[in-house]
Amino acid sequence: MLKKSKVSQSRRTEILGLFQSQAEGLTFLPASALLKFLHNDQMELTANKDTAESLIDRYEIEEAAIESRSMTFEGFLRYMESKDCCLFDQTHKLVYQDMDQPLTSYFISSSHNTYLTGDQIVGKSHLDAYVSALRKGCRCLEIDCWDGPDMEPVVYHGYTLTTKILFKDVITTVAQHAFEVSAYPVILSLENHCCQEQQEVMAQYLISILGDKLLKSPLDHPTTGDFPSPNDLMYKILIKNKKLKSWIKAENKTEAEESADEGEDADDEEEEDDDDEEDQGHLTKAKFWSPRKPSLKKKKKKVKVAQALSDLVIYTRSVKFISFSHSRDNQNCYENTSMAEKKARKLIKTSGSSFVQHNQRFLSRIYPAGSRTSSSNYNPQEFWNVGAQLVALNFQSPGLSMDLNDGRFQDNGGCGYVLKPAVLMSSQRSFDPNSSRPQSTHLLLKVISGSNLPLPRSGKALDPFVRVEIHGIPHDSRTKNTHTVKNNSLSPHWDADMNFNISVPELCLIRFSVRDQTTLFRSEFVAQYTLPFTSLKKGYRWVPLQSRDGCSLDPASLFVLVWYS
């Protein structure tokens, strides 16, 4: 249960001050005084005498103290540096949420162009990208499928110089790693550009390689009615693709069949991407490198869905988004839509509450604009604010967006499914993230100190400050900074109070970012940690810091005091 390999002298002094204030002149802390500290300072309101004594048994090593049911300072220090005093609620390290709601009731960790390890133009496609995403708890993977030589479908970003990998190897990799870190269902989102013959090969691989993991028919009795829950679909892999309409008669087949082309190559989405490229002022270059069709004027020949592949689409049938009213009147619960970030952003601005209601009934996938050729990401929070479930990001691109995604999905045991808050699921009261709401929660954060902050490559000591960011609905989103401490990486001390008023805390993420003040107007990233507001523990807590790519920087940490009402 020990956490730190090295406790800075500053942190030790701060914790000694806490110990002495509780011990009231004694050299040890009786169980009763420890319990008082748990109640009054740590806000562990369910703690009792047994809780205090179990902490003594776990963290105290001096025999005399153990026998007298008390804790020395060294034992108290070990407790304060343990997971029991981490900022993140350790009960949320396990699956604790209701997993019997329909899939539409959850945020689902989702990846865009999962096969890529770099940019969208000349980046490498690699099987390791699928392994990495799955090990991060990703539950919706994207596979761009194209005709390959010798009837072997390939995966790559079409019309670009990205390298190609075999579809069958991708499916084999998914089969091996799908349920390593989570038992809950994996959705394979196919962007399907293959001819019917190679689609049939894809279907054969899906059936033969995935075996019993592949969901091939509807469940007999889902616990949630028509649309199943994560529990119903444990250890199952779902195929998301277009599907042939079951009522089609043979003589009408050519008229009523649906195109196989899925997701980001649909006509409405091409228009969105073109708009994005023009907005960014590099239309000519973007068209030259376009990952879309070679000619924007020439109408692309639609490829029909092969029956064998269509038969594997059960609960995740992709349809074109037309309007919220059209979806309300015509869309079935097992049908989902995809849209580019720009289109989704417009809908949030003009019809926020309708978007929320839409996402109560149907799965929505949001993906990055085609103009993001460097594999940059949007901020996922704006789409979670309307309850979009499949907010797809480029997992290979570290930074703020992936920090928020990692923070969101470390909740609920890191299983890749997080139950949407009640405010997004209420049928009685409409919710629009753009409208201001009465204040409901006051958050007080005192950023006390840091410990063992990582040095830059130059080896020069940092001039660190801490930036605390609240990411939620626009009204709640705020950023505050501590002052800068000069030339101190080992034990900077800020003792900075920050106050935030939050109206929808259940949607908020809190990001602690440590930065190095390099010039008067410039700072550089050092470390960060992001977590949901709902996983925040009150009291004196340490914040485990992570690198840009999400790896632990232990023993680097912050020491904070948290209170909210």
Side-chain angles (χ1 to χ4, degrees):
M1 289 302 296
L2 300 188
K3 185 259 165 193
K4 294 279 186 290
S5 56
K6 182 178 181 182
V7 182
S8 74
Q9 192 59 41
S10 171
R11 178 77 55 85
R12 186 181 179 91
T13 303
E14 288 151 2
I15 295 174
L16 177 60
L18 273 178
F19 178 83
Q20 290 172 338
S21 69
Q22 303 300 317
E24 297 179 341
L26 300 174
T27 57
F28 56 86
L29 201 61
S32 58
L34 179 57
L35 181 58
K36 184 179 176 184
F37 173 73
L38 294 176
H39 284 164
N40 297 345
D41 293 82
Q42 301 299 76
M43 302 304 290
E44 303 280 6
L45 301 182
T46 59
N48 54 29
K49 184 183 176 185
D50 290 342
T51 309
E53 293 197 355
S54 74
L55 292 177
I56 292 169
D57 290 334
R58 282 155 67 195
Y59 298 113
E60 186 53 63
I61 60 174
E62 192 173 300
E63 288 295 333
I66 295 170
E67 288 177 12
S68 65
R69 309 317 287 150
S70 59
M71 190 178 265
T72 63
F73 167 65
E74 294 298 333
F76 185 74
L77 180 63
R78 281 188 287 272
Y79 159 64
M80 290 298 296
E81 291 286 298
S82 75
K83 298 279 184 174
D84 282 317
C85 289
C86 181
L87 183 69
F88 184 83
D89 188 337
Q90 295 302 291
T91 64
H92 293 187
K93 291 280 189 183
L94 302 173
V95 174
Y96 68 95
Q97 295 177 344
D98 178 5
M99 302 304 283
D100 287 320
Q101 299 301 310
L103 288 189
T104 47
S105 299
Y106 299 85
F107 296 127
I108 303 171
S109 181
S110 304
S111 165
H112 170 252
N113 288 357
T114 314
Y115 49 89
L116 287 177
T117 59
D119 67 55
Q120 309 281 314
I121 303 299
V122 295
K124 286 187 177 180
S125 304
H126 205 289
L127 297 174
D128 285 349
Y130 285 95
V131 178
S132 175
L134 286 166
R135 286 179 174 167
K136 279 194 163 191
C138 185
R139 298 286 88 189
C140 182
L141 309 170
E142 187 174 26
I143 309 177
D144 287 14
C145 312
W146 296 81
D147 290 338
D150 305 319
M151 288 296 288
E152 284 287 358
V154 294
V155 175
Y156 83 114
H157 203 200
Y159 308 120
T160 69
L161 301 177
T162 57
T163 58
K164 300 173 183 178
I165 51 180
L166 296 179
F167 177 81
K168 66 179 179 182
D169 291 343
V170 171
I171 302 306
T172 299
T173 300
V174 170
Q176 290 171 344
H177 299 280
F179 304 110
E180 259 182 37
V181 302
S182 173
Y184 294 105
V186 169
I187 300 169
L188 298 184
S189 182
L190 303 184
E191 188 175 315
N192 178 11
H193 305 269
C194 292
C195 66
Q196 286 205 329
E197 293 76 16
Q198 295 216 19
Q199 287 182 59
E200 289 171 2
V201 173
M202 288 165 57
Q204 290 166 12
Y205 283 140
L206 289 167
I207 293 167
S208 62
I209 295 171
L210 297 180
D212 291 341
K213 297 185 183 81
L214 179 65
L215 186 75
K216 296 186 279 288
S217 59
L219 302 177
D220 290 336
H221 301 289
T223 57
T224 55
D226 293 332
F227 205 58
S229 70
N231 271 344
D232 289 328
L233 295 167
M234 286 178 78
Y235 298 108
K236 289 296 180 184
I237 296 174
L238 284 65
I239 305 304
K240 177 171 123 40
N241 192 65
K242 294 281 177 71
K243 185 176 177 70
L244 296 174
K245 294 175 180 175
S246 56
W247 46 262
I248 294 173
K249 293 181 180 177
E251 62 268 24
N252 266 346
K253 195 168 184 181
T254 54
E255 291 181 10
E257 276 180 336
E258 292 199 24
S259 163
D261 284 346
E262 158 54 16
E264 296 152 38
D265 220 32
D267 294 337
D268 58 329
E269 290 152 351
E270 283 170 357
E271 290 167 15
E272 290 295 326
D273 292 343
D274 293 347
D275 290 344
D276 287 341
E277 289 160 357
E278 288 180 278
D279 288 346
Q280 297 195 18
H282 54 264
L283 183 61
T284 305
K285 180 180 176 185
K287 285 186 177 178
F288 178 76
W289 284 112
S290 176
R292 310 297 170 215
K293 58 190 178 187
S295 168
L296 293 172
K297 291 182 181 178
K298 186 179 177 183
K299 188 69 177 175
K300 183 183 55 181
K301 183 181 177 182
K302 297 267 185 177
V303 179
K304 306 304 178 188
V305 183
Q307 185 70 54
L309 187 59
S310 174
D311 289 345
L312 300 181
V313 179
I314 310 300
Y315 293 116
T316 42
R317 174 189 180 182
S318 299
V319 296
K320 181 177 178 179
F321 177 81
I322 296 172
S323 69
F324 292 131
S325 59
H326 182 273
S327 293
R328 185 175 61 246
D329 296 337
N330 298 282
Q331 193 171 331
N332 290 309
C333 66
Y334 53 83
E335 294 176 327
N336 62 81
T337 54
S338 293
M339 65 181 79
E341 59 175 289
K342 185 176 179 182
K343 183 173 184 177
R345 204 170 279 122
K346 286 179 182 175
L347 289 171
I348 292 171
K349 190 173 182 179
T350 59
S351 314
S353 60
S354 296
F355 211 159
V356 171
Q357 291 165 3
H358 175 87
N359 290 327
Q360 291 174 0
R361 297 179 59 197
F362 311 112
L363 288 176
S364 293
R365 181 174 181 270
I366 315 296
Y367 61 87
S371 53
R372 292 184 180 273
T373 54
S374 64
S375 296
S376 62
N377 282 313
Y378 50 70
N379 185 324
Q381 183 67 45
E382 60 183 318
F383 305 114
W384 290 328
N385 285 342
V386 291
Q389 300 88 352
L390 304 167
V391 180
L393 297 176
N394 291 302
F395 269 48
Q396 75 274 30
S397 300
L400 171 64
S401 301
M402 279 306 298
D403 292 345
L404 297 179
N405 199 73
D406 291 346
R408 173 75 64 200
F409 290 105
Q410 72 167 315
D411 194 9
N412 203 32
C415 74
Y417 285 80
V418 171
L419 193 63
K420 293 197 283 187
V423 69
L424 291 176
M425 298 306 296
S426 173
S427 57
Q428 311 300 318
R429 185 181 296 179
S430 65
F431 173 72
D432 186 342
N434 296 312
S435 60
S436 60
R437 299 164 63 85
Q439 303 296 339
S440 62
T441 299
H442 176 227
L443 171 65
L444 169 63
L445 282 174
K446 182 190 283 283
V447 180
I448 301 171
S449 65
S451 177
N452 299 292
L453 302 181
L455 290 171
R457 287 178 185 170
S458 65
K460 174 185 168 289
L462 301 174
D463 291 346
F465 68 93
V466 178
R467 176 173 295 163
V468 177
E469 306 161 8
I470 308 293
H471 295 268
I473 65 169
H475 184 263
D476 289 342
S477 298
R478 296 284 184 277
T479 297
K480 295 189 178 182
N481 296 338
T482 68
H483 63 276
T484 298
V485 172
K486 292 286 187 183
N487 198 34
N488 192 336
S489 307
L490 186 61
S491 56
H493 191 89
W494 296 284
D495 212 28
D497 289 332
M498 298 181 181
N499 290 279
F500 300 93
N501 289 311
I502 300 173
S503 57
V504 192
E506 58 269 42
L507 269 173
C508 282
L509 293 166
I510 302 177
R511 182 173 185 257
F512 294 83
S513 175
V514 181
R515 302 189 66 84
D516 180 21
Q517 192 78 54
T518 52
T519 67
L520 186 59
F521 299 110
R522 187 167 179 268
S523 64
E524 293 181 355
F525 175 89
V526 175
Q528 70 85 34
Y529 184 71
T530 307
L531 78 166
F533 181 95
T534 51
S535 297
L536 198 64
K537 294 284 280 183
K538 292 180 180 178
Y540 290 93
R541 305 287 169 180
W542 58 268
V543 182
L545 294 175
Q546 297 175 345
S547 64
R548 186 179 295 278
D549 58 1
C551 295
S552 170
L553 290 172
D554 184 60
S557 65
L558 300 175
F559 192 48
V560 299
L561 174 62
V562 179
W563 184 86
Y564 54 87
S565 64

